[in-house]
Amino acid sequence: MEYILSFDIAKGKSVYCLIDNNKNIIIEPTLINHNKKEFDELLDNIKKYRKLTVVMESTSVYHLPVENYFRSKGIETI
């Protein structure tokens, strides 16, 4: 894994941050609402980063929209 897209999950929204394997911040912590439009915009911004892994906490059922979206795009999700 060369890049990690990390999510702090909340109900209906999250904060994400993109870092590389050297812990350099590529995208500063940013708020995202759990909807297709914002997920699509984020995906468009990160698609150039190969070997990307999405990492998130499992917070009740609130993480499921994030997990389902990125898995459906073929991105490894932990």
Side-chain angles (χ1 to χ4, degrees):
M1 115 181 64
E2 289 184 25
Y3 298 96
I4 298 170
L5 182 62
S6 175
F7 283 86
D8 181 13
I9 303 290
K11 183 179 180 181
K13 60 186 174 186
S14 296
V15 174
Y16 68 88
C17 178
L18 181 65
I19 62 172
D20 66 16
N21 60 355
N22 293 317
K23 299 180 184 172
N24 296 310
I25 296 174
I26 297 167
I27 299 176
E28 293 286 336
T30 306
L31 180 68
I32 187 170
N33 292 300
H34 294 177
N35 62 59
K36 185 176 182 323
K37 178 183 180 241
E38 292 191 33
F39 287 152
D40 286 344
E41 289 171 358
L42 173 56
L43 185 62
D44 192 49
N45 289 334
I46 63 170
K47 65 183 174 187
K48 63 184 172 189
Y49 299 103
R50 306 273 182 214
K51 299 183 182 179
L52 173 74
T53 302
V54 172
V55 177
M56 71 190 79
E57 61 184 330
S58 174
T59 306
S60 183
V61 296
Y62 304 138
H63 72 284
L64 293 176
V66 177
E67 178 183 16
N68 292 337
Y69 179 84
F70 286 99
R71 284 188 187 224
S72 76
K73 302 299 182 185
I75 297 172
E76 180 180 12
T77 305
I78 299 172

